[in-house]
Each structure stands twice: as C-alpha cells, then as structure tokens.
C-alpha cells in the first residue's frame, strides 16, 4: 500500500508486532528500546521522501516500563512519520475512562493508529485498531489479515461492549488494581524478593535468571501452593533474564498477596534463587498493614 515504506520498531516490541512487520515488504529499522535519540538518528538516515511508520508500545509487557510517548510523537511529527501505538497492556487500566496512556497524557489525537485488545483488562477476547476514518478505510481495503478472517461472534461482541461501557464509567477496578499492585510491590521488597527496576506499572517482573530454575519454581508453586505463575524463558526474553511476571487483579485479596509472597520466599530458598540481600527471606510470615 505504501511504496518504499520505512518501519521503525522498538527493540522490545511484542513478537506479534515483529511478525506482522516481517510479513510486509517494508524496510525495517530497529531502534534501541525507549531510546528517542537512537530513533532520531535512524529517522534522519532514512530516505527523505519515503513513507515512515514508528511502531511502539505504551506499556511493555515483559519489563513493565512505559515508553516516552510524548517525545516519540513529537519526533514523528518533525519527520512526517506515522505513529502506531500498541496500548494492549494499558487499555482499561490507565487514562481517563481506561482509554490508555496516550489519553492519560492528552496526546491520543496526535497518534495515527492505536491498537487495543478486548482481552486483558476488558476480560473477553478480540482486538481493534483506531485512527482517522480514511486511514481505517484504507486498512480495511488492503489488509489481507483483516479481509480473510472471520468476525467475532455477536455474543462475544456484546460481552466486549458491556465490559467497555462499564470500564468507561467505573474507576473502582482501576483504583483497586493500582492500589493492590503497589501493596504487592511493597511486600515483595520487604521480603527481599527482587522486582526489576524498570517496572513502573502493574506488571511486576521478578528475575530468576535461569531457565531450568524458572520452570522448576513455577512447577513447585503450582504443586505445593496451588499458585500458577507462567515461567518466562527464552526466546520470549533473552537468555539470562528469565523471570516471573506478576500481575495482580482487583479480585485478589490481601491474604492472597500474603500467601504469594510467602510461597515465593520458600520457593526461592528451596531452589537457591537469589534474594535481594543476604537475608535470604528468613521470615516465613509477612504482616500486611
């Protein structure tokens, strides 16, 4: 659809985004994660008259960090580049009415395409993109992935609509989620269970650093405590950065948090996974204030 299109993709973009870009004939440029200076250099080096698209996420799912949205959008405007923002880990959880990080920053109208999901916070299945009417019409007309697929069943669409309408008027779930995420982060720190310093959202990545131990720890938590945590190993993340990714929900209680922290303490000790300090999480009980 765009001849000689140049796509600029954040190095930490989700695998589905990477596969989507690879399926096109566009020239791909990978910029260092959240590095606006590196992105600027790559934009300046690209052909002046070529169409350009910057593809990035608001909340990154493996590290829990947030992109410098305002800086990237300003850079795109200077270079006449389109912006494609993935908000799947922010929709429903951040911004006014749960509209996402871009809306929270007041710059959603300056982004050309925003991608969201009906899973995660919305709690159903499916996804969407939004943008100007001409741009969306062009995608409908040329996107084979959309043309040769099947629409969601009416019952699923109705469930999506009901959930979205609720999240647009209720802040209760968002407030509870962020409050409980903060409490979990605090209790993990008190227990000397590390959370990667890059995390600034509800996504709490706990580094394990070993694929075998990560898998063993997940199995031990499930078998011994009835707690399921997905082990995140290579190739999802780089070797040596294997981790758990903790995501609390508004429905989890303070008791659930206590049980999780104690289970993680005991599992770390059993498998000799490093704690934050030499204290090694001796306390078997965490007191919730």
């Amino acid at each position: 659809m765009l001849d000689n299109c140049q796509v600029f993709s954040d190095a930490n973009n989700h695998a589905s985004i990477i596969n989507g870009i690879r399926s096109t004939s566009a020239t791909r440029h990978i910029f260092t994660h959240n590095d606006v200076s590196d992105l600027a250099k790559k934009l300046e080096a690209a052909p002046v008259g070529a169409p350009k698209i910057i593809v990035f996420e608001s909340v990154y799912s493996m590290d829990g960090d947030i992109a410098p949205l305002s800086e990237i959008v300003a850079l795109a405007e200077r270079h006449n580049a389109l912006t494609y923002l993935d908000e799947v880990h922010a929709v429903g959880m951040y911004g006014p009415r749960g509209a996402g990080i871009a809306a929270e920053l007041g710059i959603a109208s300056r982004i050309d395409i925003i991608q969201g999901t009906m899973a995660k916070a919305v709690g159903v299945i499916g996804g969407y993109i939004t943008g100007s009417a001409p741009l969306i019409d062009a995608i409908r007309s040329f996107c084979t992935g959309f043309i040769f697929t099947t629409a969601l069943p009416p019952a699923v669409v109705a469930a999506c609509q009901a959930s979205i309408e609720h999240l647009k008027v209720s802040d209760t779930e968002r407030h509870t989620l962020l409050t409980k995420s903060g409490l979990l982060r605090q209790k993990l720190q008190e227990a000397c269970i590390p959370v990667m310093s890059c995390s600034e959202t509800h996504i709490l990545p706990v580094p394990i650093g070993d694929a075998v131990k990560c898998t063993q720890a997940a199995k031990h938590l499930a078998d011994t405590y009835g707690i399921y945590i997905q082990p995140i190993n290579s190739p999802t993340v780089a070797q040596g950065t294997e981790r758990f990714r903790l995501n609390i929900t508004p429905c989890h209680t303070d008791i659930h948090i206590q049980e999780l922290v104690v289970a993680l303490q005991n599992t770390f000790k059993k498998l000799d996974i490093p704690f934050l300090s030499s204290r090694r999480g001796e306390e078997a009980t965490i007191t919730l204030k």
Side-chain angles (χ1 to χ4, degrees), residues 2-8 26-29 43 46-47 50-54:
L2 296 174
D3 293 334
N4 194 28
C5 182
Q6 311 286 308
V7 175
F8 301 83
T27 301
R28 301 182 296 277
H29 308 271
L43 284 166
K52 303 174 182 66
I53 304 175
I54 303 171

Side-chain angles (χ1 to χ4, degrees), residues 62-63 232-243:
M62 290 299 121
D63 291 346
I232 310 294
N233 292 334
S234 175
T236 304
V237 295
Q239 290 184 354
T241 69
E242 294 83 3
R243 68 197 68 174

